[in-house]
Amino acid sequence: MPASLRPGLERRLRREISGEVLFDRFSRGRYATDASHYQMTPLGVVVPRTMDEAAAALAAAREEGVPVTARGGGTSQCGQTINEGLIIDGSKHLTRILTFDVEERRCVVEPGIVLDELNRCLKPHGLWFPVDISTASRATIGGMAGNNSCGGRSLRYGTMRDNVIAIDAILPDGSSMHFGDVKAGQAQSVPEQMAIDPVVRATGNSTSSHASLIAKLLAIGKREADEVAARFPRVQRRVGGYNLDALMPNMPSHNLAHLLVGSEGTLAYFTAVELKLWPVLGKRALGACHFGSFHEAMDAAQHLVTLEPIAVELVDATMLALAREIAMFRPILDRFVKGEPEALLLVEFAESEAVNAQRLKELHALMGDLGFGWDRERRKWGGVIDVIDPRLQAAIADLRTSGLNIMMSMKTEGKPVSFIEDCAVPLPELAEYTSRLTEIFERHGTRGTWYAHASEGCLHVRPILNLKLEQDVRTMRAIAEEAFALVRDFKGSHSGEHGDGILRSEFHEMMFGQRLGRAFAQVKDAFDPKDLMNPGKIVRAPHFDDRALLRYSPAYHAEAFAPVLDWSDYPGGAGGLLGAAEMCNNNGACRKLAGGAMCPSYRATRDEQHVTRGRANVLRLALSGQLGRDALASDDMAESLKLCVSCKACRRECPTGVDMARMKIEVQAARVKTRGLSIFDRLVGPLPHYAPLAARLAWLLNLRDRLPGAATVSQALAGLAAERALPAWRSDIFSEGAAAVGADGGREVVLFCDTFNRYFERENIDAALAICEAGGYRVHLPKSADRARRPLCCGRTYLSTGQVDKARAEMRRCLEAFAPFISRGVPIIGLEPSCLLTFRDEAPALVGGMVAKSIATNAMLLEEYLIAERDAGRLSLDLVPAAGRALLHTHCHQKAFGIDDTVAAALRLIPGLELEVVDSSCCGMAGSFGYRAETISVSKAMGELSLLPAVRAADAATVIVADGTSCRHQIADLAGRRAVHVARVLANHLAAKAKVGDLVSRNKLDGVNPGPP
Ligand SMILES: Cc1cc2nc3c(=O)[nH]c(=O)nc-3n(C[C@H](O)[C@H](O)[C@H](O)COP(=O)(O)OP(=O)(O)OC[C@H]3O[C@@H](n4cnc5c(N)ncnc54)[C@H](O)[C@@H]3O)c2cc1C
Ligand code: SF4
Ligand code: SF4
């Protein structure tokens, strides 16, 4: 990646803009891709704080002759959000709702607001913006308008174009203009109507130039009316080219905003978008139509839409099979899938309950009329299963996404590639179209899975190709040309949802004809004669298979790099690490701002640098030599990963399974190798080594938080945040006396006593022992077999500081000690999620071999074990009822492994306990992260996102439960409440407390204190 810069432009932007001005290689690399397979490195990036700053950036670029590309969430699939000029990212700051009229059901928003955020604000008023695209959690209204996006319910609500009332925009000449509805015959007065109180005052806000622009546009519309009528596909899903049909003569009015919708940033920069709002959807009913033949299903779609559903979504047999492989989805499939269908069409109604019921009845009748029956032969086998329960409806939606995610997460060089994925054809042609497209795939030796919007004739399908190979790039062109010709013959749209960008624009002349191709160019030139707005998109586009523009260009290669962990599950260079980084396809799910836990650092900063995607991108670029020498160990790379708290949320929630926490270990190890350890890391890493001595010198070490000024000195010398109290050392640590405790002959378990609970909160270990003893278990407490006699440790602190060899040594000690138990199938249970789950997650990648693999399946948290025992009918714990309430925060690693519900289930073993679970992401402490002076402010911000407000809102009698040591510290430090481990809550309710009375009273378990620490 060349380090070509425009110092003049950069200096000017820095002078005039208080938002971020990013011209460094890493930042430019982060903005070089969107969710397409293209890569274009921009000159620089601006993240304006205000619309005035956006205008200033546009002005600076214009005066320097540098083209500009507007960017929202960067989730475009066709390359429309990348270019070589200046990128203006509005998604961080330009996010306000400017006006909101509940009565009129309208609002005006800045372009950077994310759809889900907008809908969260509208919901209390019973309204929503219904263009419900799959990327609603991160796509912005500006980007949606730019692409003319379409949601799953477009059958009822139409596309963006149908829901945008007006757009205020800055034109390429710097003037600002209001684009809205203009009555026919008022074209002469249009400029006054459209003159707005400029959001920005740039160069010449000339009404005469606006008048001339409008006149030119209407003239193009008038001239091309017949051609538009003849060549524009008559399907709702036509988002390709410019919307010339908005300029047709003989219309009662022209809404010129509709010409801007779908213009992909090539005509003007949107500063405000006025939207039409709708009442929220009421109760829904789903009819799952089963088909024994895919072709028959496609043919049926045209008939099913006559019942006026809000959506008809396809799930094919491959997707069903993928979902069936996931244990949690099998029972859901059992509830609504009958037999072995080749395809399901999920027909959704959203009327009143009575009407929904009536429509379902009609659906059954219609399927019968079409000749389908459960007793018919394969081709006509089928029928309807009603799904009324909203929870099942939600589970089905979840299942569809997960099946798709599995498809997207293939760890092979060949990947499902999106290039013909949103062609749309008229519904009567759907069956024939899908059959012939399947033949095209087969002819080219590939295949695809079909899904999505059957009701609009817009089915998603991605052939599997390896775009690193020239042969596969050629196959991509061949399939595209044949598929688009097919679509044209069916009078369909080659660009039916995702827009044009680099991917589709080349084909506009083929699809719309040369004459309309020229008309598109005239529209562009009327707005932007100097080609300064997102050039090369929609008109004058490069070849879509120009390999120089691909993310994997012919020059793409893996740098020599030997990873410290095992990445052999992935293909490609750097021992598979490059393949792991390439798993990020930039879909942007990690940019969601609510729900789930990914990605806490992004939620706190809203910076592309601090989101999983931004990190994966720079890792890919570094490992493929595009960021210069030693980029992996560089300061820029360290900075890119600095705020990653290794919460592992991405491992679970990223649709393609990008595991940044594990990749961060590689980066830290590379840095330690070339730069050595910081003083902070020298203190944190060897904690398990010096802890025995520290416990003996507890009084001395704890002076850091008692002697005035000592904390400040520790910050200056070692980077330990002065405002944080450190966990207090104590001399009464836990140490194993006997090799095993509990009933002889009881079911055996091994209790792994981690470093944190052993040295800082032994009460948790004591409580776990009390529970196991009360349950009649035999608990083994193995010791290290080596000469050191030092307690066992999983090596977490070494891993988190990039000292992988030392972590490996710790892991080997554990495996040696546990091996005899593992070979007998004795479960290893533990208390601290981040430690115990190291056995499940990193152990195989660290040490390999059978024992590591077995421990990965044998290790479980105490609460998981208890719930597994309960489910097997073996748990016998006599717990006294509770009268109170508990508030539960689960550790990120519990969430990442999908076992957070077992903590809640374990607490629910206590009769009468009222339980609330905080919908939280990472607590922000994340091991040593919250203790670092350089990251403490982000640590606090993460905690404040949801956890700390929920804790503060809980009344003093509520018991706060958190299994993570760090989580408990964060809660104590910032919310002034003492949180406790689930083991202590359970132990506190043991009816047989008297029998384990010594233990309990010694540790004051009765006094699990909900008040301040
Ligand atoms: C997994 C996945 C699923 C998807 N599902 C759907 C779907 O269901 N329906 C659908 O329609 N699309 C879908 N898309 C495509 C994409 O998410 C949408 O097009 C989305 O609306 C883009 O929003 P964004 O904020 O990411 O825009 P970006 O990608 O950032 O930008 C989109 C275009 O708008 C322009 N733009 C952005 N801001 C402005 C501005 N202020 N002024 C002028 N132009 C601007 C940009 O230059 C660009 O050309 C999907 C994509 C992925 C990866
Ligand atoms: S990291 Fe995962 S969620 Fe984020 S953009 Fe990449 S693939 Fe999508
Ligand atoms: S591990 Fe957590 S903080 Fe790091 S990238 Fe993944 S989700 Fe973000």
Side-chain angles (χ1 to χ4, degrees), residues 138 581 583-591 598 611-614 616-617 650 653-658 660:
R138 63 275 195 193
M583 290 303 290
C584 174
N585 62 13
N586 278 34
N587 66 64
C590 42
R591 287 173 59 102
M598 169 177 70
V611 71
T612 322
R613 175 173 81 176
N617 277 328
C650 44
E653 292 174 32
C654 160
T656 64
V658 168
M660 191 49 62

Side-chain angles (χ1 to χ4, degrees), residues 120 125 180 212 331 411 492 577 719 786 791 866 942:
R120 263 190 279 282
H125 305 277
S212 134
K411 289 178 186 161
L577 178 59
D786 63 16
L866 295 177
M942 285 182 191

Side-chain angles (χ1 to χ4, degrees), residues 597-601 610-612 615 643-651 658 660-661:
M598 169 177 70
C599 167
S601 47
H610 299 303
V611 71
T612 322
R615 294 172 180 132
L643 301 189
C644 168
V645 287
S646 299
C647 68
K648 302 189 182 178
C650 44
R651 178 189 184 281
V658 168
M660 191 49 62

Side-chain angles (χ1 to χ4, degrees), residues 528-757:
D528 183 22
K530 295 190 181 149
D531 211 10
L532 286 174
M533 301 296 288
N534 206 12
K537 317 290 158 57
I538 303 186
V539 297
R540 294 186 272 274
H543 288 298
F544 92 112
D545 56 346
D546 179 347
R547 291 189 72 200
L549 295 178
L550 293 183
R551 199 183 291 190
Y552 306 123
S553 73
Y556 189 79
H557 68 281
E559 292 282 280
F561 178 76
V564 288
L565 297 174
D566 178 6
W567 297 91
S568 58
D569 280 355
Y570 296 89
L577 178 59
L578 180 56
E582 287 169 0
M583 290 303 290
C584 174
N585 62 13
N586 278 34
N587 66 64
C590 42
R591 287 173 59 102
K592 66 183 172 183
L593 294 165
M598 169 177 70
C599 167
S601 47
Y602 176 72
R603 289 186 191 184
T605 64
R606 303 256 185 128
D607 288 335
E608 183 69 23
Q609 179 181 6
H610 299 303
V611 71
T612 322
R613 175 173 81 176
R615 294 172 180 132
N617 277 328
V618 289
L619 275 173
R620 173 177 48 78
L621 293 169
L623 289 164
S624 55
Q626 297 181 69
L627 292 176
R629 282 170 60 84
D630 294 329
L632 214 61
S634 66
D635 289 348
D636 283 334
M637 184 61 81
E639 200 56 33
S640 302
L641 283 154
K642 185 168 93 180
L643 301 189
C644 168
V645 287
S646 299
C647 68
K648 302 189 182 178
C650 44
R651 178 189 184 281
R652 177 176 161 86
E653 292 174 32
C654 160
T656 64
V658 168
D659 187 349
M660 191 49 62
R662 194 179 287 187
M663 288 193 248
K664 182 175 178 179
I665 295 173
E666 292 288 352
V667 172
Q668 283 175 304
R671 196 164 165 86
V672 170
K673 200 167 155 195
T674 54
R675 313 266 178 125
L677 282 167
S678 67
I679 298 179
F680 185 96
D681 288 345
R682 278 175 210 274
L683 287 176
V684 171
L687 187 105
H689 262 92
Y690 63 70
L693 177 64
R696 286 200 288 276
L697 300 174
W699 62 271
L700 179 63
L701 295 178
N702 291 339
L703 287 179
R704 185 265 186 194
D705 290 325
R706 290 192 187 138
L707 280 184
T712 312
V713 174
S714 77
Q715 174 161 328
L717 292 181
L720 281 164
E723 57 189 292
R724 279 274 191 212
L726 297 179
W729 291 100
R730 56 197 281 183
S731 49
D732 60 336
I733 62 167
F734 179 84
S735 57
E736 299 83 354
V741 296
D744 274 341
R747 280 181 63 75
E748 293 177 285
V749 291
V750 168
L751 180 65
F752 166 63
C753 303
D754 62 87
T755 300
F756 301 102
N757 281 308

Side-chain angles (χ1 to χ4, degrees), residues 70 72-77 81 134-135 140 143-144 147 149-150 264 270 497:
T75 66
S76 289
Q77 290 203 18
T81 330
S134 315
T135 42
T140 60
M144 290 171 65
N147 283 352
S149 294
C150 326
E264 302 185 357
F270 311 158
E497 182 170 291

